[in-house]
């Protein structure tokens, strides 16, 4: 079977990109990365493709007068590379409605909270301020509103006594690295259907154990 061709968009250190690179290194994984684009020339994540043959482009948003002309060049680069699914991996720019319309249910994002809670850039601070006992991460299809769209997969992560933003972010990040490749696999295997604002995993019939925090005795 043909592998699903991924275009990955980054702005920073690219640890989720690394998780996808590692997953794609398995010959049995049903997707491959055809292009990585960074909107920042100094993104640490750019170095992650060096030991691979993955094509990499820097398209600096600061060189563009408006959001849509930047998005048009990103769109053209992804199409030239043959991308079929766009994975936002710490891509810290809002995509225009025009761009999102070009790729219906073909853009996914990972966000470090259990959406729809704690949207935005300070999810862990919001979780700590709210005193939730479980937070986590979400992989979702992208809509033009920030951190919104049909949810594909989530992982719940405990908040512990004494946590600060860094310790919580690190615990959630470990879950992100497991979630993102799994969610992309579900899409590549054709197991997700999207209707309006809801994504369904059609064969998801087996419940894992509930996660208690504090742990149940
Ligand atoms: C990740 O925690 C990702 O969930 C978050 O940025 C970080 C990027 O890390 N994304 C968002 O907050 C999007 N709203 P990475 O560059 O190491 O993958």
């Amino acid at each position: 079977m043909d592998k699903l061709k991924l275009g990955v968009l980054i702005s920073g250190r690219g640890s989720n990109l690394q998780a996808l690179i590692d997953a794609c290194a398995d010959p049995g994984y049903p997707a491959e990365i055809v292009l990585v684009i960074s909107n920042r020339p100094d993104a640490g994540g750019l170095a992650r493709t060096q030991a691979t043959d993955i094509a990499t482009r820097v398209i600096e948003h600061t060189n563009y007068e408006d959001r849509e002309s930047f998005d048009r060049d990103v769109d053209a680069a992804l199409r030239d590379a043959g991308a079929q699914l766009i994975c936002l991996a710490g891509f810290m720019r809002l995509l225009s409605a025009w761009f999102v319309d070009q790729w219906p249910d073909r853009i996914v994002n990972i966000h470090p909270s259990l959406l729809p809670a704690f949207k935005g850039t300070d999810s862990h601070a919001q979780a700590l301020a709210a005193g939730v006992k479980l937070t986590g991460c979400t992989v979702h299809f992208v809509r033009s509103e920030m951190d919104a769209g049909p949810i594909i997969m989530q992982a719940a992560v405990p908040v512990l006594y004494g946590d600060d933003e860094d310790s919580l972010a690190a615990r959630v990040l470990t879950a992100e690295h497991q979630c993102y490749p799994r969610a992309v696999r579900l899409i590549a295997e054709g197991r997700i259907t999207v209707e309006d604002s809801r994504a369904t995993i059609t064969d998801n019939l087996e419940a894992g154990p509930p996660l208690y925090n504090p742990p149940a005795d």
Side-chain angles (χ1 to χ4, degrees):
M1 212 175 96
D2 283 348
K3 291 185 183 241
L4 183 69
K5 294 182 168 48
L6 311 178
V8 184
L9 271 50
I10 64 168
S11 299
R13 84 194 138 176
S15 70
N16 279 292
L17 164 64
Q18 187 68 56
L20 291 170
I21 291 173
D22 293 346
C24 291
D26 174 353
Y29 191 72
E32 61 181 332
I33 301 173
V34 293
L35 179 63
V36 172
I37 299 176
S38 172
N39 66 312
R40 298 179 56 107
D42 58 349
L46 285 167
R48 297 183 187 270
T49 55
Q50 266 165 17
T52 73
D53 56 4
I54 300 169
T56 305
R57 295 256 325 251
V58 174
I59 303 180
E60 278 186 76
H61 65 275
T62 50
N63 290 342
Y64 294 83
E65 278 187 3
D66 57 73
R67 194 174 291 278
E68 197 171 309
S69 46
F70 167 78
D71 284 1
R72 280 184 188 275
D73 277 3
V74 172
D75 174 74
L78 289 161
R79 287 185 195 284
D80 282 353
Q84 297 167 305
L85 180 74
I86 302 170
C87 300
L88 308 184
F91 183 68
M92 295 308 190
R93 279 190 69 74
L94 210 54
L95 293 163
S96 61
W98 175 82
F99 186 93
V100 174
D101 284 349
Q102 303 309 302
W103 298 85
D105 297 332
R106 294 279 102 190
I107 313 170
V108 292
N109 180 43
I110 187 153
H111 181 76
S113 74
L114 292 173
L115 290 173
F118 313 141
K119 298 176 180 183
T121 52
D122 58 350
S123 314
H124 303 304
Q126 292 182 56
L128 290 169
V132 295
K133 301 296 173 272
L134 293 170
T135 183
C137 63
T138 303
V139 182
H140 64 97
F141 288 108
V142 168
R143 298 291 183 257
S144 47
E145 304 78 41
M146 185 185 61
D147 299 328
I151 291 169
I152 301 160
M153 183 165 177
Q154 295 184 303
V157 174
V159 181
L160 301 182
Y161 176 74
D163 262 339
D164 58 17
E165 282 180 60
D166 289 345
S167 60
L168 187 54
R171 195 173 309 116
V172 171
L173 195 63
T174 302
E176 291 184 44
H177 297 159
Q178 292 172 353
C179 257
Y180 215 175
R182 289 183 193 192
V184 169
R185 176 190 278 280
L186 289 174
I187 297 167
E189 291 177 344
R191 292 162 65 189
I192 308 282
T193 53
V194 185
E195 237 176 291
D196 302 325
S197 57
R198 217 160 71 99
T200 307
I201 308 168
T202 39
D203 54 354
N204 188 21
L205 295 171
E206 204 175 315
L211 176 58
Y212 298 94
N213 183 33
D217 16 66

